[in-house]
Amino acid sequence: QVQLVESGGGTVQAGGSLRLSCTASGRTFTTLAMGWFRQAPGKEREIVAAISWEGGTTHYADFVKGRFTIYRDNTRNTVYLQMYSLTPEDTAVYYCAAEPSTSTSYVARMSHEYDYWGQGTQVTVSS
C-alpha cells in the first residue's frame, strides 16, 4: 500500500502563488509515476500535471500555460506542484496521485491509470 498526504493548500489572492507538496509513505520503494489532479464543485476531475519516476518526463494541462511546475525529490518521497499567477478559475480541491510502473520514464495522463490517491487539499483563489 502507498499512502499520499498533500499539504500546502490555502487561500490566496489572484496573482499569488502556492506550492503544494505530496509525501508518499508505505511501499515507497515502488517505482511510482505521479500526478496532480483537481476537481471543482460540480465538475469532473481533471489532470493538472504529471511526472515520471525519474523526473525527466512531464505532462501539463493546457490551462497551466507555463504557470505551474511539477517536480519531485525521491530522496524525500515527495512531489511538488509550484503554482504562480493563480486565478479564481484555479479554485478547486487538488489531489495527488501515484501509479506503480515498471518504467522509470512513464507518465500517466489519465486518472483511471492511477491506483493511489491523497485526500486532497483545497486551493481557493480570491479576486
Side-chain angles (χ1 to χ4, degrees):
Q1 293 284 83
V2 175
Q3 294 79 46
L4 305 175
V5 179
E6 303 101 330
S7 63
T11 301
V12 298
Q13 296 187 62
S17 303
L18 284 173
R19 188 183 73 168
L20 307 184
S21 300
C22 173
T23 298
S25 62
R27 198 178 294 179
T28 55
F29 56 84
T30 302
T31 300
L32 297 172
M34 301 187 72
W36 287 96
F37 293 78
R38 71 184 189 185
Q39 187 168 20
K43 297 183 179 179
E44 292 294 314
R45 179 178 54 202
E46 61 182 352
I47 192 168
V48 178
I51 189 168
S52 61
W53 173 253
E54 41 76 40
T57 308
T58 58
H59 170 78
Y60 294 96
D62 289 341
F63 62 76
V64 170
K65 299 186 185 305
R67 298 179 298 127
F68 298 175
T69 300
I70 187 171
Y71 60 101
R72 66 193 300 166
D73 183 351
N74 288 347
T75 66
R76 303 180 186 273
N77 299 316
T78 300
V79 64
Y80 305 90
L81 183 69
Q82 178 67 60
M83 304 185 292
Y84 292 106
S85 301
L86 288 163
T87 74
E89 292 187 351
D90 295 316
T91 296
V93 177
Y94 284 69
Y95 297 92
C96 176
E99 167 64 21
S101 176
T102 58
S103 173
T104 60
S105 60
Y106 180 74
V107 173
R109 297 178 173 85
M110 308 298 293
S111 62
H112 64 78
E113 296 183 78
Y114 289 89
D115 291 338
Y116 302 100
W117 295 83
Q119 79 284 357
T121 185
Q122 177 70 48
V123 171
T124 302
V125 184
S126 61
S127 59

